[in-house]
């Protein structure tokens, strides 16, 4: 809602304004303290930008009755998103495994944002150095996409709520970790508009698995086929 969005924007705006006022008053001397202040302003600005971008995506998905339909090779897009994630978190290992035909019909920009949000979620909510795995598997009418991490996992009781707008799970999804309750909502919305669905669960090997099932195209969206086992 508009009230939720305003509430989320208030915190980074207050931080940016606070640092700017301290600098203007001369309370932040040149040198390391000023560098730290500028770094905080940059991070808060980036977080605010992520929130605005997420809100714009959700607004467009709410308004547009059907997405762009063009062939997308998920292996190519996932590889590029993996490389972007490596640049953001060079201390981690990001692996990509693709099995079968993983081409779907849809909006590449939206699918790219879905993948980016899942990887960013894994980075934000697992300890530094935790490896992240991307797994793709093609079936007759669907393509399964999974992002697996080796962090503390999720609270299984709240698995469905993770994809609600502006929802957080306690301290693990707090503002301090950069979460605004928008990233996974975008994932769910993009999956739905592409005839699929998003879900999350804990892996038997430890960590969380975020799973997205996408229809291959408009003719596949009514398929009741179960996800492919990977």
């Amino acid at each position: 809602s508009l009230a939720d969005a305003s509430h989320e924007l208030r915190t980074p705006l207050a931080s940016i304004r606070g640092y700017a006022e301290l600098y203007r008053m001369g309370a932040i001397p040149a040198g390391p303290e000023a560098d730290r202040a500028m770094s905080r302003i940059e991070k808060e600005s980036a977080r605010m930008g992520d929130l605005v971008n997420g809100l714009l995506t959700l607004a467009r998905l709410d308004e547009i009755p059907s997405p762009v339909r063009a062939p997308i090779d998920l292996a190519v897009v996932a590889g590029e998103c993996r490389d972007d994630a490596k640049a953001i978190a060079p201390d981690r290992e990001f692996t990509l495994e693709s099995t079968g035909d993983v081409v779907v019909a849809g909006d590449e920009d939206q699918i790219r944002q879905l993948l980016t949000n899942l990887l960013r979620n894994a980075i934000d909510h697992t300890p530094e150095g935790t490896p992240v795995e991307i797994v793709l598997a093609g079936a007759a009418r669907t393509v399964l996409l999974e992002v697996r991490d080796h962090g503390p996992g999720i609270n299984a009781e709240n698995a469905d709520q993770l994809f609600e707008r502006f929802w957080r799970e306690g301290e693990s999804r707090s503002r301090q970790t950069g979460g605004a309750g928008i990233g996974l909502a975008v994932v769910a919305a993009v999956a739905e508009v592409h005839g699929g669905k998003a879900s999350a669960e804990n892996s038997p090997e430890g960590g969380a698995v975020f799973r997205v099932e996408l229809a291959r195209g408009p003719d596949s969206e009514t398929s009741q086929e179960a996800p492919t086992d990977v």
Side-chain angles (χ1 to χ4, degrees), residues 139-160:
R141 295 179 179 270
T142 60
V143 175
L144 185 67
L145 183 160
E146 290 184 345
V147 173
R148 305 172 180 173
D149 65 53
H150 297 271
I154 63 171
N155 184 339
E157 295 179 358
N158 298 327
D160 292 337

Side-chain angles (χ1 to χ4, degrees), residues 117-129:
N117 287 6
L118 286 175
L119 290 170
R120 184 61 180 266
N121 179 73
I123 292 170
D124 286 346
H125 302 299
T126 59
E128 292 185 5

Side-chain angles (χ1 to χ4, degrees), residues 30-44:
E33 289 190 34
D35 292 341
R36 281 194 295 271
M38 292 303 104
S39 175
R40 290 298 305 143
I41 288 174
E42 182 180 7
K43 289 180 180 178
E44 291 296 280

Side-chain angles (χ1 to χ4, degrees), residues 52-208:
V52 171
N53 287 335
L55 289 169
L56 285 172
T57 297
L58 290 173
R60 290 174 183 139
L61 289 171
D62 288 342
E63 292 172 1
I64 299 174
S66 59
V68 174
R69 295 295 184 186
I72 305 168
D73 188 336
L74 288 183
V76 173
V77 175
E80 293 172 353
C81 291
R82 175 201 56 194
D83 293 342
D84 293 344
K86 284 182 178 179
I88 295 172
D91 61 310
R92 297 172 182 261
E93 179 183 6
F94 294 88
T95 59
L96 171 59
E97 176 186 339
S98 182
T99 304
D101 179 3
V102 293
V103 174
V104 299
D107 186 316
E108 182 174 333
D109 289 340
Q110 292 177 5
I111 296 296
R112 188 179 298 276
Q113 186 165 7
L114 178 152
L115 267 161
T116 298
N117 287 6
L118 286 175
L119 290 170
R120 184 61 180 266
N121 179 73
I123 292 170
D124 286 346
H125 302 299
T126 59
E128 292 185 5
T130 303
V132 178
E133 304 162 14
I134 308 168
V135 179
L136 304 173
R141 295 179 179 270
T142 60
V143 175
L144 185 67
L145 183 160
E146 290 184 345
V147 173
R148 305 172 180 173
D149 65 53
H150 297 271
I154 63 171
N155 184 339
E157 295 179 358
N158 298 327
D160 292 337
Q161 291 175 285
L162 289 171
F163 298 94
E164 295 179 3
R165 300 179 188 187
F166 298 107
W167 189 87
R168 294 190 187 86
E169 184 179 11
E171 291 302 317
S172 66
R173 294 182 58 77
S174 67
R175 290 184 183 85
Q176 283 69 34
T177 61
I182 284 291
L184 292 178
V186 170
V187 169
V190 171
E192 182 178 0
V193 84
H194 284 79
K197 58 185 178 181
S199 61
E201 64 182 22
N202 288 314
S203 170
E205 292 80 23

